Amino acid sequence: MNVRRNLSLLLLALVLAGCRNPYLIAQRFEDSSREHNRLMRWQGLEQSCVIFAGEQVKDVCLERARAAKDVSVADYRVTSTELDVNKGTATVRVEVDYFILPSTRLKTLVDEQQWRYVEDEEKGSRWLLVTPPPEFR
């Protein structure tokens, strides 16, 4: 009886592993978005581009990250998040308060991040940014 139950559990685990698990996809988005936002907040924009930027925006992302090397973020607020697990898309709106030394003038910008869930057999399934970071001026 135990063998039958164990085989049934193993079969169930294999079936679930092959399915798109909405909870797992949502959790991966939460983790990716949180890490990207942390990197933006603490001057790790270039590292975020390497990790999260999709191929079509990677060059622009890295260019903007290098241009923002003197930017200091004073506050970073996520104002809204729209996640559609079925479509594999997400939109995150943030407000960023920042200054560029030697000026101490605080500026605010609004950024809308577009994310897409990509299933890749080589690199694994993950969330990628399909929009570049904002230009800090």
Coordinates of all heavy atoms in Angstrom, one line a residue, residues 78-109:
V78 N 7.6 52.1 -4.8 CA 6.8 51.4 -5.7 C 5.3 51.9 -5.5 O 4.8 51.7 -4.4 CB 6.8 49.9 -5.5 CG1 5.9 49.1 -6.5 CG2 8.3 49.4 -5.8
T79 N 4.7 52.5 -6.6 CA 3.4 53.0 -6.4 C 2.3 52.1 -6.9 O 1.2 52.1 -6.4 CB 3.2 54.4 -7.1 OG1 3.6 54.2 -8.5 CG2 4.2 55.4 -6.5
S80 N 2.6 51.2 -7.8 CA 1.6 50.2 -8.2 C 2.3 49.0 -9.0 O 3.4 49.2 -9.5 CB 0.6 50.8 -9.1 OG 1.1 51.2 -10.4
T81 N 1.7 47.9 -8.9 CA 2.2 46.7 -9.6 C 1.0 46.0 -10.2 O 0.0 45.8 -9.5 CB 2.9 45.7 -8.6 OG1 4.0 46.4 -8.0 CG2 3.4 44.5 -9.3
E82 N 1.1 45.7 -11.5 CA 0.1 44.9 -12.2 C 0.7 43.7 -12.7 O 1.6 43.8 -13.6 CB -0.5 45.8 -13.3 CG -1.2 47.0 -12.8 CD -1.6 48.0 -14.0 OE1 -1.6 47.5 -15.2 OE2 -1.8 49.1 -13.7
L83 N 0.3 42.5 -12.3 CA 0.9 41.3 -12.7 C -0.2 40.4 -13.3 O -1.3 40.2 -12.8 CB 1.4 40.6 -11.4 CG 2.0 39.2 -11.6 CD1 3.2 39.1 -12.6 CD2 2.4 38.6 -10.3
D84 N 0.1 39.9 -14.5 CA -0.7 39.0 -15.2 C 0.0 37.7 -15.5 O 0.8 37.6 -16.4 CB -1.2 39.6 -16.5 CG -2.3 38.7 -17.2 OD1 -2.3 37.5 -17.0 OD2 -3.1 39.3 -18.0
V85 N -0.1 36.7 -14.6 CA 0.6 35.5 -14.6 C 0.3 34.7 -15.9 O 1.2 34.1 -16.5 CB 0.4 34.7 -13.4 CG1 1.0 33.3 -13.5 CG2 0.9 35.4 -12.2
N86 N -0.9 34.8 -16.3 CA -1.4 34.0 -17.5 C -0.7 34.5 -18.8 O -0.3 33.7 -19.7 CB -2.9 34.0 -17.7 CG -3.6 33.3 -16.5 OD1 -3.1 32.3 -16.0 ND2 -4.7 33.8 -16.1
K87 N -0.5 35.8 -18.9 CA 0.1 36.4 -20.1 C 1.6 36.5 -19.9 O 2.4 36.7 -20.8 CB -0.4 37.8 -20.3 CG -1.8 37.9 -20.8 CD -2.2 39.3 -21.1 CE -3.7 39.4 -21.6 NZ -4.1 40.8 -21.8
G88 N 2.1 36.4 -18.6 CA 3.5 36.5 -18.3 C 4.0 37.9 -18.5 O 5.1 38.1 -19.0
T89 N 3.2 38.9 -18.1 CA 3.6 40.3 -18.1 C 3.4 40.9 -16.8 O 2.5 40.5 -16.0 CB 2.8 41.0 -19.2 OG1 1.4 41.0 -18.9 CG2 3.1 40.4 -20.6
A90 N 4.1 42.0 -16.6 CA 3.9 42.8 -15.4 C 4.3 44.2 -15.7 O 5.2 44.5 -16.5 CB 4.8 42.2 -14.2
T91 N 3.7 45.1 -15.0 CA 4.0 46.6 -15.0 C 4.2 47.1 -13.6 O 3.3 46.8 -12.8 CB 2.9 47.4 -15.7 OG1 2.7 46.8 -17.0 CG2 3.2 48.8 -15.8
V92 N 5.3 47.7 -13.4 CA 5.6 48.3 -12.1 C 5.8 49.8 -12.2 O 6.7 50.2 -13.1 CB 6.8 47.6 -11.4 CG1 7.1 48.2 -10.1 CG2 6.7 46.1 -11.3
R93 N 5.1 50.6 -11.5 CA 5.3 52.0 -11.5 C 6.0 52.4 -10.2 O 5.6 52.0 -9.1 CB 4.0 52.7 -11.6 CG 3.4 52.6 -13.0 CD 2.0 53.3 -13.1 NE 1.4 52.8 -14.3 CZ 0.7 51.7 -14.5 NH1 0.7 50.8 -13.5 NH2 0.2 51.4 -15.7
V94 N 7.1 53.2 -10.4 CA 7.9 53.7 -9.2 C 8.1 55.2 -9.3 O 8.1 55.7 -10.4 CB 9.2 52.9 -9.1 CG1 9.1 51.4 -8.9 CG2 10.1 53.2 -10.4
E95 N 8.3 55.8 -8.2 CA 8.8 57.1 -8.1 C 10.2 57.1 -7.4 O 10.4 56.4 -6.4 CB 7.8 58.0 -7.2 CG 6.5 58.2 -7.8 CD 5.5 59.0 -6.9 OE1 5.9 59.3 -5.7 OE2 4.4 59.3 -7.4
V96 N 11.1 57.9 -8.0 CA 12.4 57.9 -7.5 C 12.8 59.4 -7.2 O 12.7 60.2 -8.1 CB 13.4 57.4 -8.6 CG1 14.8 57.3 -8.1 CG2 13.0 56.0 -9.1
D97 N 13.2 59.6 -6.0 CA 13.8 60.9 -5.6 C 15.3 60.7 -5.6 O 15.8 59.8 -5.0 CB 13.3 61.3 -4.2 CG 11.8 61.5 -4.1 OD1 11.2 61.8 -5.1 OD2 11.3 61.3 -3.0
Y98 N 16.0 61.6 -6.3 CA 17.4 61.5 -6.5 C 18.1 62.9 -6.6 O 17.4 63.9 -6.8 CB 17.7 60.7 -7.7 CG 17.3 61.3 -9.0 CD1 18.3 62.0 -9.8 CD2 16.0 61.3 -9.5 CE1 18.0 62.7 -10.9 CE2 15.7 62.0 -10.7 CZ 16.7 62.6 -11.4 OH 16.3 63.3 -12.5
F99 N 19.4 62.9 -6.5 CA 20.2 64.1 -6.7 C 21.5 63.6 -7.4 O 21.9 62.5 -7.3 CB 20.4 64.9 -5.5 CG 21.1 64.1 -4.4 CD1 22.5 64.2 -4.2 CD2 20.4 63.4 -3.5 CE1 23.2 63.5 -3.2 CE2 21.0 62.7 -2.4 CZ 22.4 62.7 -2.3
I100 N 22.1 64.6 -8.1 CA 23.3 64.3 -8.9 C 24.4 65.3 -8.3 O 24.2 66.5 -8.4 CB 23.1 64.5 -10.4 CG1 22.0 63.6 -10.9 CG2 24.5 64.2 -11.1 CD1 21.7 63.8 -12.4
L101 N 25.4 64.7 -7.6 CA 26.4 65.5 -7.1 C 27.2 66.3 -8.1 O 27.3 65.7 -9.2 CB 27.4 64.7 -6.2 CG 26.8 64.1 -5.0 CD1 27.7 63.1 -4.3 CD2 26.3 65.1 -4.0
P102 N 27.6 67.5 -8.0 CA 27.7 68.2 -6.7 C 26.4 68.9 -6.3 O 26.4 69.5 -5.2 CB 28.8 69.2 -7.0 CG 28.8 69.5 -8.4 CD 28.3 68.2 -9.0
S103 N 25.4 68.9 -7.1 CA 24.1 69.5 -6.7 C 23.5 68.8 -5.6 O 23.6 67.5 -5.5 CB 23.2 69.6 -8.0 OG 22.0 70.1 -7.6
T104 N 22.8 69.5 -4.8 CA 22.0 68.8 -3.7 C 20.5 69.0 -4.0 O 19.7 68.7 -3.1 CB 22.3 69.4 -2.3 OG1 22.1 70.9 -2.4 CG2 23.8 69.1 -2.0
R105 N 20.2 69.5 -5.2 CA 18.8 69.7 -5.6 C 18.1 68.3 -5.8 O 18.5 67.5 -6.6 CB 18.7 70.5 -6.8 CG 17.3 70.7 -7.3 CD 17.2 71.7 -8.5 NE 15.9 71.7 -9.0 CZ 15.5 71.1 -10.1 NH1 16.3 70.5 -10.8 NH2 14.2 71.2 -10.5
L106 N 17.0 68.1 -5.0 CA 16.3 66.8 -5.1 C 15.3 66.8 -6.2 O 14.5 67.7 -6.4 CB 15.6 66.5 -3.8 CG 15.0 65.1 -3.5 CD1 16.2 64.1 -3.5 CD2 14.2 65.1 -2.3
K107 N 15.4 65.8 -7.1 CA 14.5 65.7 -8.2 C 13.7 64.4 -8.1 O 14.1 63.5 -7.4 CB 15.4 65.6 -9.5 CG 16.2 66.8 -9.8 CD 17.1 66.6 -11.0 CE 18.0 67.8 -11.3 NZ 18.8 67.6 -12.5
T108 N 12.6 64.4 -8.7 CA 11.7 63.2 -8.7 C 11.4 62.8 -10.1 O 11.1 63.6 -10.9 CB 10.4 63.5 -7.9 OG1 10.8 63.9 -6.6 CG2 9.5 62.2 -7.8
L109 N 11.4 61.5 -10.4 CA 10.9 61.0 -11.7 C 10.0 59.8 -11.4 O 10.0 59.2 -10.4 CB 12.1 60.6 -12.6 CG 13.0 59.5 -12.2 CD1 12.4 58.1 -12.5 CD2 14.3 59.6 -13.0

